[in-house]
Amino acid sequence: MPKILVVTSGKGGVGKTTSTAALGAALAQSNQKVAVVDFDVGLRNLDLVMGAERRVVYDLINVAQGDAKLHQALIRDKRLDNLYLLPASQTRDKDALTEEGVRRVIDELRERFDWIVCDSPAGIERGATLAMRFADVAVVVANPEVSSVRDSDRIIGLLDAKTEIAEKGGRMEKHLLLTRYDAGRAARGEMLNVDDVLEILSIPLLGIIPESEDVLRASNVGSPVTLHSGTSAPSRAYADAARRLCGAEVPMDIPSDKKGLLVRLFGRRAA
Amino acid sequence: MTQPSTHIRFRGRSFPVLALEPDAPIAGWFERLDACLEHSPAFFSRKAIVIDVARLGLDRDTVGELVEQLSSRGVRIMGLTGVDPAWACDDLPPILTNGRSIAADEPPADGGADAPSLSPSERAAFDEIAEALGGGEAGAEPPHEPGRSAAPLIVETAVRSGQSIFHPDGDVIVIGSVSSGADIVAGGSVHVYGTVRGRIMAGAYGDSRARIFCRRLEAELLAVGGFYMTADEIRDDVRGRAVHARLEDETIKIIKLD
């Protein structure tokens, strides 16, 4: 049974595209057939993070409007045989996407893939509601800060109201992915801690991705972080999250401040 | 075979409406109105307006002129208030009366207050409805008062930021939390079996007996019967606690539950 997953958030810049690429690659690494779809029409960048920007010929809008066939637009990843990208158009106007067009593309993708991972644009406008419209599972990406948590709460409300599954009386499966988590700053009260965020959003936790330079380094060379450095902390956190999405029981690793107590005490006194 | 039903449903409802209150001299008032309209031409578009001329003491022709003048400015008039109910005719907008303020001018036989322009048979129907809704003296009662007996609205999920729950006729029970940026508006009391971070308005139609109950108070705003309290006014010793709030001498009192 294919699963349509939407990666969403209210606020921009929290790591939706990075997470889409990383989760998509991690799912593909576990031998499932995966398509990642960029819904951010007008501002495409999933192709950049996937390292496929020079191979884009046709895009989601071409397929949705029937100007191109799906197989013409799907770009196969160079590293993994079973990972495909359906890019967004940068030149078209963001309103070019229609609900009917998206439904057709999703139905066609459903026949060919095990996972369809949709990268939603930020905000609550049409693009974001279209990306979540046909999903079965949602990953809500949030940073441990109040504005991000507030906007995520709003998006969770929309997932329960504006999606097809909700309108038919069903319930969307929702997961929280906490990104850019800095244990040290959370401990000092400069960021919300995991418990606060979970208490406010009250949806199950899928994973905590530690703040790390590895994420930036990977996206700059056009590689999903899970493919770039399999052993780094964010890469392992994303891989664990992908396994939890598939239903595996993986113990949650809450990042802690690695510096010893003495270093912290003296470090603070010196500052 | 069933016959198609021939019944239509009537309900007594009250809506808040914007009332314009011209003052004397009328010419000067129109000048100010025109200046205001120049500033924001769309101000009256799509709004239904009631004209209150109680304080002007105008005769019937002047009122007709006033109405015409306003209509020519694109103000949609849904009713007149503050005039003699006997003036009711096709040329003037429907005449509305506010029971208490003009009760003395009304003929005693016409005991109702909300719509004296109704014919006796309409009045009888209206009374019947009012009686069915809550009994007592028809029409003389504020229309939302009997609503307290209506069924409570039960919300089984969290109320998320940006959502609002509106239940004018009774209590609202939320099994979950009310997020910051969410609203609950209830005619009766509000019960929240979770954390309240948003805004809660109980007794939104002036029912001062309404109360707010919650398991954990972190609210942005609490209101009971139209009197409200913002987050800044909530004392630290009740914040984060299980509490109930009620109205006492026009101020909200928050009492710990445990």
Side-chain angles (χ1 to χ4, degrees):
Chain A
M1 182 76 180
K3 281 217 169 178
I4 322 283
L5 173 101
V6 61
V7 178
T8 185
S9 78
K11 198 169 170 286
V14 295
K16 282 183 298 299
T17 302
T18 310
S19 300
T20 306
L23 287 175
L27 287 166
Q29 277 174 313
S30 62
N31 287 324
Q32 307 195 61
K33 227 177 156 201
V34 180
V36 291
V37 185
D38 192 350
F39 271 88
D40 205 348
V41 174
L43 295 167
R44 62 172 230 228
N45 49 44
L46 184 58
D47 51 332
L48 272 176
V49 177
M50 300 284 290
E53 74 276 15
R54 296 211 198 121
R55 298 160 64 203
V56 174
V57 183
Y58 293 111
D59 55 50
L60 173 66
I61 290 187
N62 295 135
V63 183
Q65 294 185 338
D67 303 333
K69 293 266 180 288
L70 181 63
H71 68 87
Q72 291 177 295
L74 280 173
I75 303 170
R76 186 152 113 193
D77 192 83
K78 281 182 172 159
R79 294 146 293 209
L80 292 171
D81 284 348
N82 48 351
L83 177 62
Y84 289 79
L85 163 73
L86 183 55
S89 163
Q90 190 159 26
T91 51
R92 299 293 291 272
D93 145 37
K94 68 179 168 58
D95 294 325
L97 219 49
T98 62
E99 183 174 330
E100 221 22 70
V102 173
R103 184 199 297 274
R104 265 210 324 277
V105 176
I106 295 278
D107 282 346
E108 212 172 322
L109 285 166
R110 218 191 278 267
E111 285 167 20
R112 301 181 47 175
F113 292 95
D114 301 317
W115 283 91
I116 297 134
V117 185
C118 307
D119 183 19
S120 165
I124 54 170
E125 280 179 73
R126 220 169 67 106
T129 37
L130 274 181
M132 67 172 70
R133 185 84 192 132
F134 304 104
D136 320 300
V137 188
V139 168
V140 178
V141 182
N143 290 163
E145 51 170 275
V146 280
S147 59
S148 172
V149 171
R150 165 88 59 98
D151 291 352
S152 297
D153 193 60
R154 176 99 165 88
I155 286 295
I156 296 168
L158 291 184
L159 287 169
D160 285 334
K162 292 252 169 120
T163 51
E164 209 179 51
I165 194 167
E167 282 169 11
K168 284 181 179 160
R171 208 149 166 71
M172 167 91 66
E173 185 186 330
K174 296 174 289 281
H175 301 276
L176 174 67
L177 190 65
L178 200 58
T179 55
R180 310 196 63 169
Y181 188 78
D182 184 327
R185 297 186 61 194
R188 290 194 297 273
E190 293 167 16
M191 270 185 176
L192 293 176
N193 63 42
V194 179
D195 292 339
D196 290 343
V197 179
L198 281 178
E199 218 267 310
I200 295 173
L201 293 180
S202 58
I203 56 172
L205 184 62
L206 183 69
I208 303 165
I209 316 299
E211 171 83 314
S212 161
E213 285 172 16
D214 293 321
V215 177
L216 187 64
R217 218 174 287 142
S219 69
N220 280 345
V221 300
S223 169
V225 63
T226 35
L227 291 184
H228 184 247
S229 53
T231 53
S232 70
S235 168
R236 273 182 291 128
Y238 273 120
D240 284 352
R243 283 164 62 203
R244 288 186 196 107
L245 269 180
C246 296
E249 292 270 340
V250 185
M252 189 67 65
D253 191 15
I254 295 182
S256 60
D257 203 353
K258 287 203 188 82
K259 275 183 253 164
L261 180 67
L262 281 177
V263 177
R264 265 212 315 246
L265 283 177
F266 288 111
R268 206 183 290 171
R269 200 162 290 172
Chain B
M1 255 182 54
T2 50
Q3 290 266 316
S5 171
T6 52
H7 294 286
I8 338 172
R9 205 158 157 173
F10 285 96
R11 291 290 290 273
R13 288 278 168 98
S14 80
F15 296 94
V17 66
L18 217 58
L20 259 182
E21 216 180 297
D23 41 40
I26 299 259
W29 183 79
F30 269 116
E31 253 168 53
R32 275 177 284 146
L33 180 73
D34 286 337
C36 164
L37 279 174
E38 204 174 315
H39 212 67
S40 46
F43 185 76
F44 289 110
S45 67
R46 306 176 67 83
K47 284 195 188 88
I49 305 288
V50 166
I51 308 298
D52 184 356
V53 291
R55 293 201 300 190
L56 286 173
L58 300 174
D59 60 52
R60 189 176 168 159
D61 291 341
T62 331
V63 171
E65 233 167 81
L66 178 73
V67 168
E68 232 162 76
Q69 286 268 357
L70 283 167
S71 305
S72 72
R73 283 166 171 80
V75 179
R76 276 201 285 189
I77 302 168
M78 68 168 268
L80 264 181
T81 181
V83 299
D84 187 345
W87 291 2
C89 68
D90 289 345
D91 303 338
L92 288 178
I95 291 166
L96 309 170
T97 55
N98 177 331
R100 269 154 230 168
S101 61
I102 76 151
D105 305 336
E106 272 181 84
D110 201 348
D114 276 312
S117 50
L118 293 177
S119 71
S121 60
E122 283 171 327
R123 161 63 52 196
F126 200 85
D127 288 356
E128 207 173 286
I129 293 163
E131 215 153 53
L133 284 176
E137 302 146 79
E141 237 174 347
H144 276 289
E145 203 64 31
R148 275 308 289 278
S149 57
L153 176 73
I154 301 177
V155 182
E156 298 199 32
T157 54
V159 184
R160 303 281 179 181
S161 178
Q163 294 181 329
S164 42
I165 303 286
F166 186 69
H167 187 56
D169 301 318
D171 292 7
V172 173
I173 300 168
V174 182
I175 306 167
S177 295
V178 178
S179 292
S180 140
D183 298 323
I184 307 279
V185 181
S189 299
V190 179
H191 314 249
V192 181
Y193 293 91
T195 308
V196 171
R197 298 189 178 84
R199 294 183 290 260
I200 308 282
M201 281 154 254
Y205 295 94
D207 186 347
S208 51
R209 295 167 302 167
R211 297 188 185 202
I212 298 169
F213 302 84
C214 70
R215 285 269 290 273
R216 193 171 150 200
L217 179 73
E218 304 276 359
E220 289 166 355
L221 182 140
L222 295 179
V224 179
F227 295 92
Y228 65 90
M229 174 185 241
T230 56
D232 300 341
E233 300 163 65
I234 297 173
R235 290 193 322 271
D236 283 342
D237 63 316
V238 292
R239 198 182 292 276
R241 305 289 295 268
V243 299
H244 102 259
R246 66 189 173 100
L247 204 58
E248 211 169 84
D249 298 331
E250 306 200 339
T251 48
I252 293 179
K253 194 158 187 229
I254 300 178
I255 304 138
K256 284 179 227 166
L257 283 176
D258 48 48

